[in-house]
């Protein structure tokens, strides 16, 4: 039966070539399209996680819902001990945030001032690598400030600014800080409103010793993130709550889901039309061979064997097209993962949407490619069902007489 | 003669009913899916443009030189009221308004957030962009110290209707000043900046507080249908930064261009595949009836009439597919135009793109005219190859069935 199918494929060249080309085209397009879609999503997420968010954050239970100094973590060390005894954690640190008005001699702007341990912070975020001018790790009243915020305040490294805010006991807190370094992460909102101060000095101004807004950590393997989160949760006191990056960046994750849905809808359109063309060619081919099927049945082939013949034909055509599509689509996905397409100025244009890189990488994933080609194969096999049903309606005599 | 050709074409088009039905189904389904996708994408872009026009820039927007770069109140337009009056007197100006934006820090009892306070005239806003449509909770009855807040900002500050919010900024004399407001309405415009970082107050509530001159503004926006009006305004006010909607919103411009490119590529691919489908059906249909054409040639029909008949068959099939596709598309497009596609489950994701989570379709005549032309073109083109086969034949060859 297999050889007969091959013979038929070679004999009915028009149908075979059309089915092969359409299957090859749709499978390649699907693999490359999904690779770019997933690649850009993964890149956006990783950039955001890497820049500042980290993969897990621990808060006092109501901090994210209620906010304010009433819901701070008041015993950092206890949580640090838990993290020290948990496997898979790459690094962790605490951050304490306050908001206030920063003023230079000429301008003012709202500012998020964060007290950090600069050494530990470099193991969590990209702040150190985002240095533009001055120095990253500094002591005393030195500020490490977002470059867009320095533009707003019209200050440079070495200049002084005043900051007015609240200490954590809600008393009035104000001080003069010196700009010692500037950074640019590419996240516009962040760069235009954030500044960092070494933890020791922050604690002395805002009375925040052994306190933090939250504790942030990175894991060795992001795929293990959920497992590590589950391992930490039972060890934490009930007043604390742990958030994974999926929860922390739920809007971004949702935005990506939306983007994926529209991407798949667009691909669905191609599948509908290609499915119909393959079905039409398959049907035309089957209907023009009714006499042949009549002869096959009359010499003893059962209906299921004729079905098998048609399925073999489609399977051979589809698998050969899918093989080439996997090689070429997979190669493109792999190549552009290593050498992403770069569109100069894209991050500047889309800064409001959280895009911080000009490159669009693909994501090469064997699992994704497998389900991509699996779907194409399924659709191709689906297109044989009607021709099979159509042929089954004829008995051998009717089929042989068919014109 | 043409009448006979016409009735023969209609009859022959449905000689193989299943084949013809599959072809019609392919055209109708691919057309309707494609148009619904196109309508949704166009609707999303149109909605973003509409909201940006109404809530922010209008067709022409004017700033003082350097304001966009520095975003500080000293770079305001000093005689904005006078300019507003002059602009209103120009032909084709539908509406003009002035706004004053102040950067600062909005603080609630629970959180603080870098924000913008925009002083507006709500009557002008209503005339300019039907502002009241953006109100999700509360009303425009602000009373004393009432303000309106963007939905995302309210969420970040954990504020509800009637909550208090303090806005701190610098006044014209460089003093840090704060003012307390009570939230009387929450808006959602899908303009990211407005929703996520803006408090709106009446001009009289803030001008004195900040020490502003009553006639100054940071932005003047103009609604007009005349695309050339911007040139007149630029000429009239050379010392100001006059921008068209697209110059002010390059991202939306790029989005619209990307959408046009994406839709065009989709259109070309789908029509290409539809062409392959029609070609297959017509090719086989002609080969099946080659004897019939030979007889027609033998009894005196010229090749020209056979060509007309075959073309007409293809066009009839294409047109029926188009008509059914048009009906289906109109039903879906119209339904989604009126009721929209509710994607509220992903509302945060849509909000991060600056989009409403209920998507409405656009319906453009161009959708149908372009597809009509493409289907007619594809139908006619698809018979050229099989017609060449007929042209090469002599009646005797055909009747002898020497093919």
């Amino acid at each position: 039966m297999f050889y007969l199918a091959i013979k038929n494929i070679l004999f009915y060249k028009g149908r075979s070539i059309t089915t092969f080309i359409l299957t090859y085209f749709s499978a390649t397009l699907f693999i490359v399209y999904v690779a770019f879609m997933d690649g850009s999503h993964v890149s956006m997420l990783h950039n955001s996680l890497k820049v500042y968010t980290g993969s897990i954050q621990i808060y006092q239970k109501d901090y994210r819902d209620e906010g304010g100094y009433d819901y701070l973590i008041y015993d950092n060390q206890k949580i640090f001990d838990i993290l020290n005894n948990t496997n898979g954690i790459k690094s962790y640190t605490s951050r304490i945030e306050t908001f206030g008005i920063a003023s230079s001699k000429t301008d003012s702007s709202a500012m998020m001032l964060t007290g950090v341990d600069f050494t530990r912070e470099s193991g969590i975020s990209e702040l150190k690598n985002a240095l533009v001018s001055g120095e990253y790790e500094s002591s005393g009243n030195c500020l490490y400030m977002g470059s867009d915020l320095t533009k707003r305040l019209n200050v440079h490294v070495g200049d002084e600014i005043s900051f007015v805010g609240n200490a954590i006991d809600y008393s009035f807190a104000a001080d003069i800080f010196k700009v010692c370094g500037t950074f640019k992460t590419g996240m516009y909102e962040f760069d235009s409103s954030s500044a960092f101060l070494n933890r020791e000095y922050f604690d002395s101004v805002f009375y925040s010793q052994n306190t933090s807004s939250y504790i942030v950590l990175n894991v060795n393997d992001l795929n293990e993130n959920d497992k590590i989160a589950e391992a930490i949760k039972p060890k934490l006191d009930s007043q604390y709550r742990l958030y994974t990056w999926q929860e922390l960046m739920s809007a971004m994750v949702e935005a990506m889901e939306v983007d994926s849905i529209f991407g798949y809808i667009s691909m669905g359109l191609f599948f509908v039309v290609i499915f119909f063309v393959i079905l039409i060619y398959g049907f035309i081919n089957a209907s023009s061979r009714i006499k042949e099927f009549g002869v096959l049945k009359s010499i003893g082939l059962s209906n299921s064997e004729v079905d098998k013949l048609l399925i073999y034909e489609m399977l051979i055509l589809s698998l050969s097209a899918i093989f080439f599509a996997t090689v070429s689509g997979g190669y493109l996905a792999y190549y552009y993962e290593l050498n992403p397409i770069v569109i100069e100025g894209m991050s500047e244009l889309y800064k409001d949407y959280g895009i911080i890189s000009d490159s669009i990488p693909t994501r090469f994933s064997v699992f994704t490619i497998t389900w991509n080609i699996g779907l194409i194969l399924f659709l191709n096999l689906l297109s044989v069902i009607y021709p099979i049903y159509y042929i089954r309606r004829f008995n051998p005599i009717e089929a042989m007489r068919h014109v | 003669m043409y009448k006979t050709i016409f009735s023969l074409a209609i009859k022959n088009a449905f000689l193989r009913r299943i084949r013809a039905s599959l072809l019609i189904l392919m055209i109708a389904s691919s057309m309707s899916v494609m148009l619904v996708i196109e309508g949704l994408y166009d609707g999303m872009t149109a909605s973003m443009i509409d909201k940006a026009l109404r809530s922010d820039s209008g067709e022409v927007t004017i700033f003082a030189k350097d304001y966009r770069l520095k975003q500080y109140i000293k770079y305001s337009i000093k005689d904005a009221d006078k300019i507003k009056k002059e602009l209103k007197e120009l032909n084709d100006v539908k509406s003009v308004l002035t706004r004053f934006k102040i950067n600062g820090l909005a603080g609630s009892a629970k959180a603080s957030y870098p924000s913008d306070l925009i002083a507006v005239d709500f009557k002008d806003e209503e005339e300019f962009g039907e502002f009241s449509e953006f109100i999700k909770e509360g009303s425009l009855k602000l009373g004393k110290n009432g303000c309106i807040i963007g939905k995302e900002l309210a969420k970040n500050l954990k504020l509800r209707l009637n909550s208090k919010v303090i806005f701190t900024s610098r006044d014209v004399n460089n003093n840090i000043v704060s003012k307390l407001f009570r939230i009387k309405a929450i808006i959602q415009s899908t303009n990211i900046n407005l929703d996520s970082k803006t408090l709106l107050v009446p001009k009289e509530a803030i001008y004195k507080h900040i020490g502003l001159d009553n006639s100054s503004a940071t932005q003047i926006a103009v609604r007009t249908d005349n695309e050339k009006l911007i040139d007149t305004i630029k000429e009239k006010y050379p010392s100001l930064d006059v921008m068209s909607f697209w110059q002010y919103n390059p991202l939306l411009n790029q989005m619209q261009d990307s959408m046009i490119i994406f839709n065009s590529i989709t259109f070309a691919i789908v029509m290409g595949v539809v062409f392959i489908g029609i070609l297959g059906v017509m090719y086989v249909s002609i080969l099946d009836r080659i004897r019939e054409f030979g007889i027609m040639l033998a009894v005196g029909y010229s090749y020209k009439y056979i060509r007309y008949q075959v073309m007409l068959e293809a066009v009839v099939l294409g047109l029926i597919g188009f008509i059914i596709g048009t009906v289906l598309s109109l039903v879906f497009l119209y339904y989604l135009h009126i009721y929209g596609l509710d994607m509220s489950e992903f509302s945060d994701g849509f909000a991060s793109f600056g989009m409403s989570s209920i998507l409405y379709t656009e319906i453009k005549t161009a959708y149908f005219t372009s597809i009509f032309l493409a289907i007619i073109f594809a139908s006619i083109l698809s018979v050229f190859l099989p017609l060449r086969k007929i042209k090469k034949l002599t009646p005797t060859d055909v009747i002898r069935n020497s093919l």
Side-chain angles (χ1 to χ4, degrees), chain A residues 65-66 68 107-108 281 353, chain B residues 41 110 158 170 251 254 276:
Chain A
D65 295 328
E66 300 294 329
D107 299 285
S108 294
Y281 275 72
Y353 294 89
Chain B
Y41 286 167
K110 292 169 179 173
K158 282 92 185 168
R170 214 167 179 174
L251 180 63
Q254 172 135 347
I276 295 171

Side-chain angles (χ1 to χ4, degrees), chain A residues 54-119:
Chain A
S55 59
I56 291 174
Q57 292 183 3
I58 299 166
Y59 288 84
Q60 220 270 27
K61 214 171 191 174
D62 295 317
Y63 184 84
R64 284 179 69 86
D65 295 328
E66 300 294 329
Y69 292 146
D70 295 339
Y71 304 99
L72 295 176
I73 296 171
Y74 290 103
D75 192 358
N76 287 343
Q77 196 51 50
K78 198 171 174 186
I79 298 177
F80 289 167
D81 292 341
I82 292 169
L83 298 180
N84 283 334
N85 293 320
T86 307
N87 291 329
I89 294 172
K90 189 178 159 192
S91 49
Y92 62 83
T93 189
S94 67
R95 291 175 185 154
I96 179 139
E97 294 173 347
T98 187
F99 290 86
I101 290 283
S103 299
S104 66
K105 281 179 186 162
T106 53
D107 299 285
S108 294
S109 181
M111 184 168 97
M112 180 180 80
L113 182 63
T114 309
V116 292
D117 177 334
F118 280 108
T119 313

